[in-house]
Amino acid sequence: MPTAKRLKKGGKGGSESKSLKKTETARPTAAEIEGQSEFAQLAKQHWLKTTTKRTAKVKVKNDVLKREIWNALEKEGFQYKSLLVLEGLQILESYLWPGYSEDSSNLHVLLVALITNIKARERLETWSIFEDRPADFSALFRRILSMTLDLTLSLPIRTHLLSFMIYAFQSLDCGIVRKECAPLVSISIWHNLSTELKRDTKLESTPHLRKTWRAASKRYDSADEDTKARLRFDRAWLYTLTLEFLGMIYEPQRNSEHTIYVERFVEFITDLQSQLPTRRYVNTLLQDLHLVTAISMSPMFIDEDNGLLRKQWKLLCHYTYFNINDQTGAQLSRNEAYDHHCQALAKLQRVALRHFKEKLTVLALSNYGSIDKRNELMSLLEPLTEDELVQLARHLELRTEFPALSKVVSIDRNFLMEMLVNTFERRPTFQENLPSIAPTELELFDQDLVRTDGYDGSHPLAIPKLNLQYLSVGDFLWRALTLYRSETFYGIRKDIEDAVKRLRPDTRKSGDTGFAGFSRMALPISRPSILEVVPPLVGEDKPSAVRAEITLDFRRLADTIRRDWDSLRPDDVVFLVAVDAAAPPPLADGTAPISEAQKLGVVSVRAAEIIQIMDDKGRSIRDPGEYLNGGGRSSTRRVQLRLDAETYKRDTDRVLKGSPDPYEQINLVVRRSGKENNFKPVLESIRSLTLSEVPLASWLHEVFLGYGDPAGATYKNLPNRAGKVDFRDTFLDWQHLVESMPGKTIEPGDDVSSSFGPPYVLELGVKAAEEPKTKLSKKRRRDAEPALLAEVETYKVSTYKPPNTGPYPMDAPKLNMVRFTPAQIDAIVSGTQPGLTVIVGPPGTGKTDVATQIINNIYHNFPEQRTLLIAHSNQALNQLFAKIVALDIDERHLLRLGHGEEELDTEGNFSKLGRVESFLKNRDRYLQEVNRLATSVGAPGAHGNSAETAGYFNSVYIQPAWAKFKEISQSEDVSTTDIVQAFPFHYYFSDAPQPLFPVEADRAAVLDIANGCYFHISKIFSELDDVLPFEILRRDRDKANYLLTNEARIIAMTSTHAAMRRSEIAKLGFHYDNVIMEEAAQITEVENFIPLAMQKPKGGQMALQRVVLVGDHYQNSPVIQNLAFRHYANLEQSLFSRLVRLGSPVIHLDQQGRARPSIATLYQWRYPNLGNLPHVEALKEFQTANAGFKYDYQFIDVPDYKGHGEVEPTPHFIQNLGEAEYAVAIYQYMRLLGYPAAKISILAMYAGQRALIRDVLNHRCAKNPIFGLPKIVTTVDKYQGEQNDYIILSLTRTSRVGYLRDIRRLTVALSRARLGLYILGRRSVFEACYELKPAFELLLQRPDKLALATGELWPSERLQTEEQGSTVAGEAVMEGVEHLGQYVFEMTNAKVKQLRAERGLPETEVVEVLEPVNEDDADVYEENGEEEDGEADAEVPEDTKVESLEAGDA
């Protein structure tokens, strides 16, 4: 938080100088935490004593708190860096909280609040620290509440306490916090309403309110004096705090401390208003206090320096007047909202006519439409005197005075007029106020957006937050649109800034702007030509289309860059930019900085969509590769563009008023990489959903919003629970069935008396639970655990003989061979049933296998239903799809939309276009079978000409023949031999395994074989029936759409593709019943939502029956570039993680089968009851040691290399040369021992380090066939969901822990390896980190110097031993990277000599393997290494995408 001392220097509006900002955001180094600071020495003396027993009672000395800690903090103004040092020294966990008691001093309590805020700001786990002593936490919380009202405390301290309360109200999922916060916003706060009459009116408006009020009064009356005092404090706390706030904003003498406090208070109130449980009673109180009016009339609001406050006020207005019933939570439709508004106006007119007939006759008799606008109301109320305005307000039950003790300026005429207008003016709904999704300079350089650039948590922001709960689905979509749009525009602005910076604009002698640099993502152009402006459609005032053209000059571009520009596809977005190097940057209002782009001279930005790209002769370039390879290629491109019509209309209107034409100034075109440039269709999808009335499925609605019973959407609580389910090949045998359902009763069906083999049909019967003796309250007490149902689940199991599917081996159904664990079976059972299923799958626990089996069960049990598969990445979707193909699912029912299908390792082609081609290819094959069948039955004619003729052939020849055979076979007089002779298709099946009918087969067996043969034939005609529409339809687009809407039953796509194509798919009439999401915890909440709303309702209801979310919230969350949107607005929240926080029932998969048990222990502490599957303990590869290494995992301490640890050659591009060299040396060593390169992956925590490792590999290994390159070198974030046998991991940081303190990333990093994990890092930095302690305590039980086992080759025969202190043959300890490098050098020499001797070549000296790399070259590593498209350090909080000017553009 900003401090008093610093704020006094910051100016009236709260803006800070750059030096102060740098001080505020400076972070402590590892040395400061480890012992080179006064606080570190103090910690070692008092709470980090190595000799103190952990069970000893901590005693806090008040003089130490006061003199050594508080005074030091106060002296420097409570600098964030100092508080971070204390937090890093575990002062809260090890000293303040263990030593807290009722007798603790106020300074003790304040320090607890300060450090809690630091943890919240750093996104660290906090409340769990207090859960062991709920009574003490309650006492602590009460003291903090009292201090928030203590005017003797300084404003910076009260601001810190207010931040504590903000954090508490954002953590209502925590029971101990919710228990303390709930009374502060209960119905009892209505004691503070202006009049009893107003309160009674409110209580009578909704039936249950009066009952709730009486219960609260009864609770107060029956309490003792101490409890009564507490209840009085609770109901007065928010009211008192608000009055103090009102007094502050009217304070004549203000400074930046006041501004910071006021901004935080508005954030707090906005948070309360944005969630129904806190808003329910608070909104009435705040409107009674005229808070919105009071803020807007205050001197602080009017102060020109307080731009942030004015923006916050707009957000507060949005929530205060949001069209929702505060009690029921029902969002009002536009008509309902207007009716509600008209009722208020009718009350105003009645009062005006009754009491002010002479002066307000016009107001009283006018229609509603003429009196609901601000100016009209003002003019109509103008005749009233101030006293009459007071009387009018009283008749309308509006507050006309504040308490005498309040510092609020008395209510004057202006205040009364504003208050009345605010109450009765009509406000547009949020749907009517949606922002544009076409970025211009006004949006990109909006100060709200620019203000987020430097976000460090010290100030609030005027942006909505994604909370645990939402007011309505529309409210959620509005927040998601606002934030997603802002995040997108932030990325666009950064890309434009980067391109312009590289181009280095300057002013030429002529006065024009020129470009001295180069960027592969931007090209200078002359102004665009407007080709066509199509007139508006009926009822619109903007053109229906605007087409323009620009010319690109490729003469100076390399072929690779030229190909990138030619690869732009129709509908891709480019940006037309006007840069004026001589233009002075605009002036800020003192509350937000100027963006880098504006400093560089960017004047205007217009987005445009590609229509087509042509060469200078007007030939369209559809295939860039073919065009470049052909003759006569041109170096000029004409690009036709589609401009945004609404923006174009605004531009032309401004030009008519004398403003310069922005299209005349454009001199630059900027493109973005494909992965980042799909923002427009995604924003359009979210916007159309926000404008629509698309409902969620009724059974999911309340759970999604966060209200009601979190378990209300699970299958056990739904009426449409399936009573009988065929689990087919889910269970492998009877023992598997019984083992998979512990605690449940398994009973054979009525027709059997003992165990039997699969397939199993389970009939789910539940014995009715006994009625509870006491009637439970309708209000769910979330503090209490849900009562256990007194029910016993009983499954009646039956079986059946699977139908014969044909005589050919290919006809045999594909069966599941996975022996699912009980937890996996629980997930499969739940996912097969209707409702919501949330599955938490730790690394290696078979999430994909579970999802696949759920899909398989749904496919066979509910053949009329369709399933939508969603995943975050193409890779995860491909893995899921490949497993689906391996099961007994007809490939004609599979469809894969979007890119990435080409990576599928399957024989079939499952893209939409590919499936059409596949249908037609299968058609030819099946028509050949029809011809063969016609020949076998002696039917003359061209029956195999088309699917249509084949259908006639089936009805005329095949079906009658089969009917005749069925008639013969059903006769009791016919023998088995006669049945075989009567079979009409002997000749057709002559190529099947013979004999077709075994001699010993009885009657039942013969009929079964015959039925199987007919099943095979029927499938041919069934397939051809499905092909028939593709013969009739002519256009490829119609064929593809028919496939999507009618034929496919399992449709797979990424979450991004779903968001981009949502409107298009919904318009086709696409309907589906089930949604299954893989990687659900890595998908943003709005992208979780869109797949649930990709169809139009049927009869006002969504057809959706199942939602299965599979993911792991203990691993990485969705990637958000902007720190403000990620942390402050919580845009990284997924629906999966929110449902877990809300307490929805989750199924934890609890046995991993990926890693050695020893490696799995490094992350098992993160998961409840995570065990190991038997094969990871039994198979030889998991028991055998890693050749050449003493340990299967080891943390290796890497000191400074050539005097350097981590370096930052360009901002946020973090590298560590020592660790890069060490990682490559280990890789070389492994390759020399015979490890396959494909089994080794090298991971880095930062993209800068990834680039450096790639360069070292290119320097040392790429051209040497002895080494080659590993399977992949990438960042930990990019490797989530992947695995390899051996992982070399570089932690990179040496000054501080960095973002690895987010243990989700640590979990990902430690869980990628199957057999070997070797971690490179700085021990002193990471072992002291509290959050990482469980993992590093295990890691550091082993030596921190690399221990080799020399003399071995891969694969080793040595068994891995876990005994500490044991030795292995040939053990050697590497003292550092130079030692290992020398060892590898000698091994390489020996290897080369051996190879030369084997080939009879003369000996030669080997070039030094570990040649030192000059540190001065480190900053150009990225320039030399190849970067993956769209991949940058922006995936991590502290390593955002900022490249050097030279990188990638040379």
Side-chain angles (χ1 to χ4, degrees), residues 714-774:
T714 57
Y715 76 96
K716 295 181 180 180
N717 295 315
L718 293 179
N720 60 335
R721 172 177 176 175
K724 185 180 287 189
V725 177
D726 180 4
F727 282 94
R728 295 175 55 81
D729 55 354
T730 304
F731 305 99
L732 303 186
D733 50 51
W734 183 267
Q735 184 181 359
H736 184 207
L737 170 63
V738 174
E739 290 173 349
S740 300
M741 302 213 167
K744 299 178 177 64
T745 302
I746 308 296
E747 297 178 353
D750 298 334
D751 53 341
V752 290
S753 57
S754 61
S755 62
F756 46 87
Y760 297 117
V761 178
L762 272 61
E763 185 175 354
L764 289 75
V766 181
K767 296 178 182 177
E770 294 181 8
E771 287 291 328
K773 294 180 180 178
T774 57

Side-chain angles (χ1 to χ4, degrees), residues 1234-1337:
Y1235 285 86
K1239 291 183 178 290
I1240 306 170
S1241 296
I1242 303 179
L1243 306 184
M1245 282 311 216
Y1246 292 85
Q1249 183 71 351
R1250 173 197 59 198
L1252 179 58
I1253 292 172
R1254 285 178 178 172
D1255 280 317
V1256 177
L1257 280 166
N1258 288 333
H1259 179 69
R1260 304 198 182 287
C1261 303
K1263 298 177 182 178
N1264 191 331
I1266 295 177
F1267 302 122
L1269 294 175
K1271 179 179 181 180
I1272 193 170
V1273 180
T1274 187
T1275 59
V1276 168
D1277 283 7
K1278 291 291 182 184
Y1279 208 57
Q1280 180 164 340
E1282 295 298 301
Q1283 65 182 41
N1284 208 346
D1285 286 359
Y1286 307 98
I1287 299 292
I1288 303 167
L1289 172 64
S1290 170
L1291 301 184
T1292 311
R1293 297 309 285 262
T1294 59
S1295 64
R1296 54 191 175 87
V1297 174
Y1299 75 81
L1300 188 62
R1301 201 167 180 195
D1302 182 345
I1303 52 179
R1304 294 176 299 183
R1305 280 192 171 82
L1306 179 71
T1307 304
V1308 177
L1310 297 179
S1311 58
R1312 300 305 97 200
R1314 294 182 66 247
L1315 304 175
L1317 174 63
Y1318 302 97
I1319 305 171
L1320 306 168
R1322 185 65 57 87
R1323 174 173 182 162
S1324 59
V1325 171
F1326 294 99
E1327 72 174 331
C1329 180
Y1330 176 78
E1331 286 73 25
L1332 310 183
K1333 185 171 288 186
F1336 274 84
E1337 282 181 347

Side-chain angles (χ1 to χ4, degrees), residues 238-255:
L238 181 61
Y239 177 70
T240 307
L241 198 67
T242 305
L243 291 180
E244 290 178 359
F245 160 78
L246 292 175
M248 190 176 297
I249 60 176
Y250 282 88
E251 187 74 45
Q253 299 296 323
R254 304 181 307 277
N255 57 28

Side-chain angles (χ1 to χ4, degrees), residues 54 185 215 369 485 491 531 611-612 614 641 665 674 687 728 779 843 928 957 1045 1077 1175:
R54 304 290 291 179
V185 291
R485 173 181 177 272
L531 300 179
I611 298 175
Q612 64 173 335
M614 303 175 292
L641 303 172
Q665 301 172 297
R687 195 173 195 272
R728 295 175 55 81
K779 182 177 179 182
Q928 290 177 10
Y957 288 96
T1045 56
M1077 287 192 205
H1175 73 265

Side-chain angles (χ1 to χ4, degrees), residues 1034-1222:
R1034 292 301 174 207
R1035 294 196 307 167
D1036 288 343
R1037 188 181 191 87
D1038 293 336
K1039 293 177 181 179
N1041 290 339
Y1042 178 86
L1043 176 63
L1044 172 64
T1045 56
N1046 295 83
E1047 189 62 36
R1049 284 177 51 197
I1050 298 174
I1051 302 98
M1053 66 186 82
T1054 63
S1055 56
T1056 302
H1057 187 84
M1060 291 171 61
R1061 304 296 177 212
R1062 184 259 159 199
S1063 298
E1064 175 186 333
I1065 292 173
K1067 285 177 183 176
L1068 292 174
F1070 174 61
H1071 286 283
Y1072 54 95
D1073 306 272
N1074 316 298
V1075 174
I1076 297 177
M1077 287 192 205
E1078 263 270 37
E1079 298 179 319
Q1082 283 186 269
I1083 302 174
T1084 59
E1085 192 159 14
V1086 70
E1087 289 180 311
N1088 284 135
F1089 177 86
I1090 288 174
L1092 308 181
M1094 290 185 68
Q1095 58 186 330
K1096 294 180 179 179
K1098 290 181 179 179
Q1101 292 293 322
M1102 290 300 231
L1104 196 63
Q1105 295 193 38
R1106 287 173 190 80
V1107 175
V1108 180
L1109 304 179
V1110 185
D1112 183 5
H1113 58 295
Y1114 291 117
Q1115 297 188 58
N1116 285 343
S1117 58
V1119 175
I1120 303 299
Q1121 302 276 359
N1122 186 298
L1123 185 66
F1125 303 135
R1126 181 168 61 248
H1127 285 176
Y1128 181 85
N1130 205 23
L1131 187 54
E1132 68 172 358
Q1133 174 173 276
S1134 66
L1135 175 61
F1136 185 96
S1137 61
R1138 186 166 69 89
L1139 289 174
V1140 172
R1141 286 184 65 194
L1142 284 167
S1144 292
V1146 297
I1147 300 169
H1148 290 269
L1149 305 185
D1150 56 4
Q1151 293 189 54
Q1152 70 88 23
R1154 171 185 295 173
R1156 294 181 191 267
S1158 56
I1159 294 177
T1161 58
L1162 296 175
Y1163 55 86
Q1164 279 175 330
W1165 58 275
R1166 285 284 287 150
Y1167 299 94
N1169 307 317
L1170 179 60
N1172 302 305
L1173 288 170
H1175 73 265
V1176 299
E1177 297 173 345
L1179 292 182
K1180 183 179 179 181
E1181 68 171 339
F1182 293 103
Q1183 296 177 343
T1184 306
N1186 296 335
F1189 294 94
K1190 179 179 179 180
Y1191 300 107
D1192 49 5
Y1193 70 82
Q1194 194 175 3
F1195 177 86
I1196 301 149
D1197 186 30
V1198 182
D1200 285 355
Y1201 179 62
K1202 299 196 176 293
H1204 293 282
E1206 70 174 68
V1207 295
E1208 204 169 349
T1210 59
H1212 311 291
F1213 200 69
I1214 299 166
Q1215 300 180 326
N1216 185 321
L1217 184 56
E1219 289 186 20
E1221 293 283 8
Y1222 214 135

Side-chain angles (χ1 to χ4, degrees), residues 63 297 321 334 344 401 489 546 1115 1225 1322 1448:
D63 61 328
M297 299 291 289
Y321 300 112
R334 297 185 190 184
E401 59 184 5
F489 287 5
V546 181
Q1115 297 188 58
R1322 185 65 57 87

Side-chain angles (χ1 to χ4, degrees), residues 142-417:
R142 306 299 300 180
R143 292 182 65 175
I144 292 174
L145 283 178
S146 300
M147 289 180 178
T148 59
L149 305 178
D150 187 352
L151 299 182
T152 63
L153 295 175
S154 66
L155 263 178
I157 295 301
R158 288 167 59 199
T159 305
H160 278 288
L161 294 174
L162 190 55
S163 296
F164 178 91
M165 295 307 303
I166 291 172
Y167 181 42
F169 273 94
Q170 289 175 349
S171 308
L172 297 180
D173 53 311
C174 177
I176 59 171
V177 177
R178 184 170 59 251
K179 183 179 177 182
E180 302 303 323
C181 291
L184 304 176
V185 291
S186 70
I187 197 170
S188 296
I189 66 174
W190 282 7
H191 278 282
N192 304 295
L193 295 181
S194 53
T195 65
E196 290 188 14
L197 177 61
K198 182 170 187 175
R199 183 170 66 234
D200 288 339
T201 303
K202 287 288 182 183
L203 292 176
E204 296 302 329
S205 63
T206 309
H208 75 274
L209 281 178
R210 176 66 70 181
K211 185 177 179 181
T212 305
W213 178 262
R214 287 171 181 162
S217 301
K218 185 177 179 181
R219 188 163 55 249
Y220 177 83
D221 293 338
S222 61
D224 57 32
E225 288 304 317
D226 289 342
T227 306
K228 284 183 177 179
R230 175 173 178 152
L231 292 173
R232 284 195 299 271
F233 177 86
D234 287 344
R235 70 193 189 195
W237 178 78
L238 181 61
Y239 177 70
T240 307
L241 198 67
T242 305
L243 291 180
E244 290 178 359
F245 160 78
L246 292 175
M248 190 176 297
I249 60 176
Y250 282 88
E251 187 74 45
Q253 299 296 323
R254 304 181 307 277
N255 57 28
S256 54
E257 293 179 356
H258 292 81
T259 303
I260 298 294
Y261 181 89
V262 164
E263 290 169 351
R264 283 294 178 199
F265 184 85
V266 176
E267 178 194 1
F268 174 58
I269 290 297
T270 305
D271 284 354
L272 295 183
Q273 291 282 65
S274 65
Q275 294 192 101
L276 192 60
T278 52
R279 169 196 181 89
R280 183 167 280 125
Y281 307 115
V282 167
N283 190 33
T284 300
L285 176 63
L286 297 184
Q287 291 202 40
D288 178 68
L289 287 169
H290 310 306
L291 185 67
V292 168
T293 303
I295 294 174
S296 65
M297 299 291 289
S298 68
M300 185 175 283
F301 183 86
I302 299 168
D303 191 328
E304 64 177 11
D305 287 336
N306 291 330
L308 174 58
L309 177 60
R310 288 187 286 276
K311 294 286 188 178
Q312 285 184 293
W313 176 81
K314 287 184 180 179
L315 186 61
L316 176 62
C317 289
H318 168 83
Y319 284 119
T320 300
Y321 300 112
F322 193 85
N323 290 321
I324 190 174
N325 185 313
D326 291 342
Q327 306 308 318
T328 65
Q331 181 178 324
L332 306 181
S333 66
R334 297 185 190 184
N335 289 338
E336 289 171 337
Y338 185 68
D339 289 344
H340 183 75
H341 169 69
C342 291
Q343 289 173 13
L345 287 178
K347 182 178 179 180
L348 172 64
Q349 288 183 319
R350 288 195 298 270
V351 170
L353 190 62
R354 182 178 303 165
H355 300 284
F356 305 96
K357 186 174 182 179
E358 296 80 7
K359 293 186 177 181
L360 297 183
T361 303
V362 175
L363 172 67
L365 299 179
S366 297
N367 63 65
Y368 296 146
S370 64
I371 61 171
D372 62 358
K373 296 179 181 60
R374 167 171 287 270
N375 293 337
E376 292 161 349
L377 276 171
M378 281 282 192
S379 62
L380 290 171
L381 294 173
E382 188 63 35
L384 297 182
T385 64
E386 183 173 334
D387 289 340
E388 288 172 332
L389 285 171
V390 170
Q391 291 301 316
L392 174 63
R394 286 176 178 167
H395 288 304
L396 292 168
E397 299 178 15
L398 300 176
R399 181 187 290 270
T400 57
E401 59 184 5
F402 288 96
L405 297 177
S406 170
K407 299 179 183 177
V408 181
V409 177
S410 59
I411 297 179
D412 57 13
R413 177 183 175 82
N414 290 336
F415 192 102
L416 289 165
M417 289 286 284

